[in-house]
Amino acid sequence: MDRVLANASRAGRYGTDRVGYREMLAAGRRFSDRVWAIEGCGGIGRHIAQRLVADGEPVLDLPAKLATRVRVFDTGQGRKTDPADAHSVAVAGLRSPGLRAVAADDATVALRLLVDRRDELGRARTQTVSRIHRLLLELIPGGAKKFLTRGQASYLLRTAPPPAGIVAQTRHDLARELIDDLTTIDAKIRAADKQLRQLVAAHGSTLPDLYGIGPSGAARLLGDIGDISRFRTAAHFASWNGTAPLEASSGDQHRHRLSRVGNRRINRVLHIMAIVQLRRDTPGRAYYRRRLAEGKTTMEALRALKRHLSDVVYKRMLRDATAARTAGTGPGGHTGATLQSSADGPIPTAASSDKSQPGPATHKPKTNLAITP
């Protein structure tokens, strides 16, 4: 890499400023061998990174942690300015091997957009049901239960005492309007689930075959993770999604505590998967009971189950990616997916908190990541 043209905090401005973008490209064309290192290609730097990739420019995704370390250990006052950020990104890009090459948006981006919309519809439905419940408390003697379906709310409103007075009539009319809104939202949710189910099937993923993962959960995993091979091991994947516990040992006392970092959306999918598996006679429930028999508390056993399910999801997605490459295409429908990435952090070795917990899960053979296209 002879030359790295870096842009850090100014990436957001260049991403929306066409004149600044052209000036940046003009500066880059003065070098025959150039690689763009952009900080935060999944966030504020996404727009400029995608525009550079569309123009055929090689772009590397630089984690903000690497640039921050360079800036902290640099001479001077360590103040955060545009020139200092650009210099830090350039130095980190030159000295950091294995950075992920940014690719053009693919089908996984569409999945992420649709599942975000599905989550918004779910939140809107919850808010609408809460408003209906609040109004029915004033219209029906004894009130109504908290979690209502559209049919139940409609039946309660029809059988409620006739409204007497303008206040009761207004509440009645508002409840009827909200029930109509709930009907519309439910129809949109069904349509969104159907669309997500079709896209996940077209992607060739077998994640819905896992007990506890529906179309929304599978789409969230595919959309947020993208290429699963960017995580070198299952432990790195668990550290990224926040299911790997953090070591809090002191002296002869060895213990771990709950991790509140990582991708919380993926952590939520794994949590739902764990709760659903506990409701039925599944391998997840058997694993949970073994942990309880070892002396763990219910919360500790649940955390261990989530950590175990993270390995299950990782291996399933890795197997799907291998099958897709064998068929000639990689995840998202493009070939040549890279096996190197900085997404799981710059540390080459996993800390003890990133490793699998002791128990049945550790006796499984390690997954072979030496996959060739």
Side-chain angles (χ1 to χ4, degrees):
M1 186 185 305
D2 295 335
R3 182 73 178 179
V4 173
L5 300 179
N7 181 277
S9 61
R10 290 176 291 180
R13 179 169 62 87
Y14 280 129
T16 56
D17 185 357
R18 188 175 297 276
V19 175
Y21 171 71
R22 290 173 179 172
E23 292 174 353
M24 206 161 94
L25 282 182
R29 291 194 177 97
R30 293 179 298 179
F31 307 98
S32 57
D33 297 324
R34 61 184 180 272
V35 176
W36 297 84
I38 305 295
E39 180 182 0
C41 292
I44 190 174
R46 187 181 68 85
H47 300 289
I48 182 63
Q50 288 298 324
R51 293 175 69 174
L52 286 169
V53 170
D55 287 344
E57 298 288 334
V59 180
L60 297 178
D61 182 11
L62 188 78
K65 183 186 298 183
L66 293 181
T68 301
R69 288 177 177 175
V70 173
R71 186 173 64 251
V72 168
F73 287 102
D74 198 1
T75 58
Q77 300 297 326
R79 296 189 179 116
K80 185 174 176 63
T81 62
D82 285 353
D85 284 343
H87 178 265
S88 300
V89 171
V91 172
L94 283 169
R95 303 301 181 185
S96 302
L99 294 179
R100 182 177 66 91
V102 180
D105 289 341
D106 53 18
T108 58
V109 179
L111 282 171
R112 185 166 64 248
L113 293 174
L114 290 175
V115 76
D116 286 343
R117 172 58 177 165
R118 171 62 178 81
D119 291 344
E120 292 173 357
L121 289 173
R123 288 191 293 269
R125 187 187 189 280
T126 302
Q127 293 174 355
T128 303
V129 170
S130 298
R131 295 188 182 105
I132 295 174
H133 175 261
R134 185 176 67 249
L135 292 172
L136 291 179
L137 288 177
E138 303 291 340
L139 294 173
I140 299 176
K145 68 177 185 178
K146 190 172 183 180
F147 301 102
L148 293 168
T149 64
R150 184 207 61 81
Q152 292 170 344
S154 180
Y155 173 78
L156 290 175
L157 187 63
R158 290 196 308 268
T159 57
I166 187 173
V167 176
Q169 184 63 48
T170 302
R171 289 196 180 104
H172 191 278
D173 295 340
L174 289 176
R176 181 182 303 169
E177 182 180 352
L178 288 172
I179 291 174
D180 293 339
D181 293 342
L182 183 60
T183 304
T184 303
I185 293 174
D186 285 343
K188 291 182 178 180
I189 289 177
R190 289 193 297 269
D193 287 340
K194 180 179 179 181
Q195 188 177 14
L196 288 174
R197 194 176 296 108
Q198 293 173 349
L199 287 177
V200 170
H203 193 276
S205 174
T206 60
L207 284 174
D209 296 340
L210 297 176
Y211 196 87
I213 295 184
S216 180
R220 174 60 69 190
L221 289 168
L222 294 172
D224 280 23
I225 296 172
D227 185 8
I228 188 62
S229 60
R230 64 195 180 105
F231 301 101
R232 296 189 298 272
T233 64
H236 291 163
F237 175 64
S239 179
W240 178 78
N241 61 43
T243 56
L246 299 179
E247 188 173 9
S249 302
S250 177
D252 295 334
Q253 183 182 15
H254 299 281
R255 66 184 183 89
H256 294 77
R257 65 177 178 85
L258 174 66
S259 173
R260 300 187 183 277
V261 298
N263 190 309
R264 306 314 298 173
R265 295 186 296 269
I266 300 299
N267 193 286
R268 177 176 178 268
V269 173
L270 295 174
H271 181 80
I272 294 175
M273 183 181 180
I275 296 300
V276 172
Q277 290 209 7
L278 290 178
R279 295 174 179 173
R280 296 289 185 272
D281 188 12
T282 61
R285 176 190 277 185
Y287 182 90
Y288 176 81
R289 289 177 174 174
R290 287 199 303 269
R291 289 299 191 179
L292 291 178
E294 294 173 2
K296 292 186 177 294
T297 64
T298 55
M299 291 304 299
E300 290 174 344
L302 178 60
R303 294 168 191 167
L305 175 60
K306 289 173 60 177
R307 176 65 182 86
H308 173 70
L309 293 179
S310 174
D311 288 350
V312 173
V313 169
Y314 175 80
K315 294 176 181 179
R316 177 59 64 94
M317 294 188 68
L318 197 64
R319 190 183 71 180
D320 292 343
T322 304
R325 290 190 182 94
T326 304
T329 59
H334 59 277
T335 59
T338 177
L339 297 181
Q340 301 295 332
S341 173
S342 61
D344 53 352
I347 304 176
T349 57
S352 59
S353 60
D354 297 338
K355 298 177 182 177
S356 302
Q357 292 183 346
T362 60
H363 299 298
K364 297 180 181 179
K366 294 183 178 179
T367 305
N368 183 17
L369 295 183
I371 305 171
T372 56

